[in-house]
């Protein structure tokens, strides 16, 4: 009875369920079809049918409509399967200029070719029916979801190498915390990468500041002027959080060597500098290898991320933070101003360095 009472007072239940719950409650108090019908403004036969069904099938079952047979479906299961298999192919494979299907195009193709394939029920196929069929099968042929193909046969081994470096960082931090000292300067582990193509864009009209009650945001003219692009070369010390950076017009071997020279000048001569980086041509070029051969043994060590494995490099998170904060909506008057602001941003981050930590699948590293 409590369930019936709650349903009878509900504002979200269907009206038919609420009405039948009120009928049953009223009949329980006054077992008279005529009296209940008069109290609720219903015909006594309506009350009688509801009560009799509740007695035969149960009060909760009596609240719902009986299932109706409905009209027989005009589109057969075979036709639906044929249409679904068609949706799983590309439209261009069937001679259309479209790369992917639209529901309108798929419906037209079904009408034109369905009867010839033995499905005459598709002769009048509507676009809305196509949408319903594809929804039932959870197929969305008009959409593309990107994935990353592993093309490096040594992906797992290279990933394990990178994770082992992160495990080393974790152990060094733990040892330093136990000794209540800063990490030893015997080794420096740098997560390095380049962020190329940073555009130096200038406005053609001054930005308008927000005005309370007028417009809440900055207003900017749609037109802009290009001053070229620059490349940010940055490496994060995973033990101290300090960012080392250069901003150059290009990122060839000579610029990479210049960044290595910056690291060489920053760290003491006895420090082993271990870099995590991708296998960009500038990192493995003849010029780079020749310069490394001139350095003391053990001064520089490289661990390369696997191909299409840039997500393993912690510096990518730093670049994401940079893009969402400093570079977002940035406008400059010249390329040099962009360089200066990028270096100023690095100084800003170094004022309060954040020690980045890798945790994903780290426990699985050897």
């Amino acid at each position: 009875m409590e369930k019936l009472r709650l349903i009878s007072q509900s504002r979200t239940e269907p009206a038919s369920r609420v009405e039948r719950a009120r009928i049953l409650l009223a009949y329980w108090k006054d077992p008279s079809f005529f009296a209940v019908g008069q109290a609720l403004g219903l015909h006594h036969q309506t009350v009688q049918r509801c009560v009799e069904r509740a007695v035969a099938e149960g009060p909760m079952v009596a609240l719902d409509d009986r299932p109706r047979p409905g009209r027989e479906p005009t589109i057969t299961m075979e036709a639906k399967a044929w249409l679904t298999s068609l949706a799983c192919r590309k439209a261009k494979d069937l001679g259309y200029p479209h790369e992917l299907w639209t529901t309108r195009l798929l419906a037209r193709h079904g009408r034109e070719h369905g009867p010839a394939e033995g499905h005459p029920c598709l002769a009048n196929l509507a676009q809305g029916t196509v949408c319903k069929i594809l929804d039932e099968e959870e197929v969305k042929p008009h959409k593309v979801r990107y994935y990353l193909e592993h093309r490096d046969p040594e992906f797992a081994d290279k990933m394990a190498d990178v994770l082992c470096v992160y495990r080393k960082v974790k152990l060094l931090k733990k040892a330093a915390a136990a000794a209540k000292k800063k990490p030893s300067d015997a080794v420096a582990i740098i997560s390095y990468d380049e962020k190329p193509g940073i555009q130096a864009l200038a406005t053609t009209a001054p930005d308008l500041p927000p005005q309370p009650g007028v417009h809440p945001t900055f207003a900017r003219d749609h037109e802009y002027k290009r001053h070229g692009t620059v490349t940010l070369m940055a490496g994060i010390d995973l033990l101290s959080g300090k960012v080392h950076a250069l901003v150059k017009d290009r990122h060839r071997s000579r610029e990479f060597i210049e960044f290595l020279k910056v690291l060489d000048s920053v760290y003491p001569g006895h420090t082993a500098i271990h870099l995590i980086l991708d296998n960009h041509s500038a990192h493995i070029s003849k010029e780079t290898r020749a310069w490394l051969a001139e350095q003391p043994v053990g001064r520089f060590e490289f661990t390369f991320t696997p191909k299409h494995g840039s997500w393993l490099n912690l510096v990518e998170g730093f670049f994401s933070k940079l893009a969402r904060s400093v570079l977002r909506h940035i406008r400059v008057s010249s390329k040099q101003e962009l360089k200066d602001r990028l270096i100023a941003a690095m100084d800003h981050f170094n004022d309060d360095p954040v020690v980045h930590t890798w945790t994903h699948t780290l426990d699985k590293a050897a």
Side-chain angles (χ1 to χ4, degrees):
M1 299 302 294
E2 181 64 22
K3 289 184 178 179
L4 289 176
R5 188 184 64 79
L6 292 175
I7 294 174
S8 68
Q9 298 174 353
S10 174
R11 293 178 177 270
T12 57
E13 288 281 351
S16 60
R17 287 174 57 86
V18 173
E19 181 181 272
R20 290 164 187 166
R22 290 175 178 173
I23 290 174
L24 297 178
L25 288 172
Y27 187 82
W28 179 71
K29 294 179 181 179
D30 185 5
S32 169
F33 299 145
F34 290 95
V36 172
Q38 188 175 9
L40 298 180
L42 300 172
H43 196 278
H44 70 276
Q45 290 183 349
T46 302
V47 178
Q48 182 178 354
R49 284 195 298 267
C50 180
V51 172
E52 290 177 350
R53 188 181 173 204
V55 172
E57 303 178 19
M60 299 307 297
V61 176
L63 300 182
D64 297 317
D65 294 338
R66 284 192 176 96
R68 296 179 175 86
R71 190 179 68 174
E72 289 292 331
T74 57
I75 299 179
T76 63
M77 296 300 296
E78 291 77 9
K80 291 182 179 181
W82 177 79
L83 194 67
T84 303
S85 66
L86 197 67
C88 293
R89 301 170 61 186
K90 286 190 174 183
K92 69 173 185 178
D93 296 338
L94 298 175
Y96 293 103
H98 307 66
E99 177 72 14
L100 302 177
W101 290 106
T102 64
T103 52
R104 189 184 301 275
L105 179 63
L106 188 56
R108 193 183 78 180
H109 185 90
R111 290 193 299 269
E112 295 176 353
H113 300 277
E117 294 291 335
H119 307 295
C121 57
L122 297 180
N124 297 316
L125 182 64
Q127 180 186 1
T129 306
V130 171
C131 295
K132 292 179 181 178
I133 293 173
L134 296 181
D135 284 343
E136 291 174 358
E137 301 297 332
E138 297 184 355
V139 175
K140 300 178 180 179
H142 59 289
K143 291 188 175 182
V144 174
R145 183 178 65 86
Y146 288 91
Y147 73 100
L148 192 60
E149 182 74 18
H150 287 175
R151 293 185 173 87
D152 192 341
E154 300 178 355
F155 188 95
D157 294 338
K158 293 180 179 179
M159 180 176 69
D161 291 340
V162 175
L163 295 181
C164 283
V165 177
Y166 291 145
R167 170 61 64 84
K168 182 179 179 180
V169 172
K170 183 178 180 180
L171 294 177
L172 290 173
K173 291 179 180 177
K174 187 176 181 180
K180 297 182 179 180
K181 296 180 180 179
K182 292 183 178 180
S184 171
D185 62 356
V187 62
I189 301 177
I190 310 295
S191 177
Y192 167 83
D193 202 2
E194 299 98 356
K195 185 174 179 62
I198 303 175
Q199 297 189 79
L201 302 178
T203 57
T204 56
D207 289 345
L208 303 180
Q211 294 184 14
V214 181
H215 53 85
T217 66
F218 279 93
R220 175 174 289 170
D221 189 81
H222 288 280
E223 293 186 4
Y224 56 86
K225 183 178 180 181
R226 298 179 184 271
H227 290 298
T229 60
V230 300
T231 294
L232 172 64
M233 309 169 68
I236 301 178
D237 189 320
L238 299 183
L239 295 174
S240 67
K242 184 177 181 181
V243 181
H244 307 285
L246 283 178
V247 182
K248 296 292 181 181
D249 293 335
R250 303 173 67 179
H251 57 290
R252 300 164 296 178
S253 298
R254 64 188 67 179
E255 284 80 20
F256 178 59
I257 293 174
E258 186 175 349
F259 179 83
L260 294 179
K261 290 179 179 178
V262 170
L263 296 181
D264 189 51
S265 63
V266 169
Y267 293 99
H270 64 273
T271 302
I273 304 174
H274 194 158
L275 281 86
I276 300 172
L277 67 172
D278 59 29
N279 57 354
H280 187 278
S281 58
H283 307 161
I284 56 177
S285 66
K286 183 178 179 180
E287 185 177 353
T288 300
R289 287 186 279 110
W291 185 85
L292 291 172
E294 297 173 356
Q295 308 310 306
V297 177
R299 178 60 167 171
F300 286 96
E301 181 182 354
F302 291 175
T303 296
F304 295 104
T305 58
K307 189 175 182 180
H308 289 175
S310 60
W311 55 274
L312 286 167
N313 204 338
L314 266 174
V315 74
E316 296 294 343
F318 171 75
F319 284 156
S320 175
K321 178 182 177 181
L322 182 73
R324 288 181 283 109
S325 56
V326 177
L327 299 180
R328 185 168 175 262
H329 302 310
I330 192 171
R331 290 295 185 267
V332 293
S333 59
S334 64
K335 185 188 290 188
Q336 186 58 47
E337 182 186 346
L338 177 60
K339 293 180 179 180
D340 294 341
R341 289 178 66 175
L342 284 172
I343 294 300
M346 300 303 110
D347 295 338
H348 172 76
F349 290 129
N350 285 332
D351 288 341
D352 186 17
V354 176
V355 179
H356 293 68
T357 303
W358 182 275
T359 56
H360 179 63
T361 66
L362 186 58
D363 294 334
K364 297 182 181 180

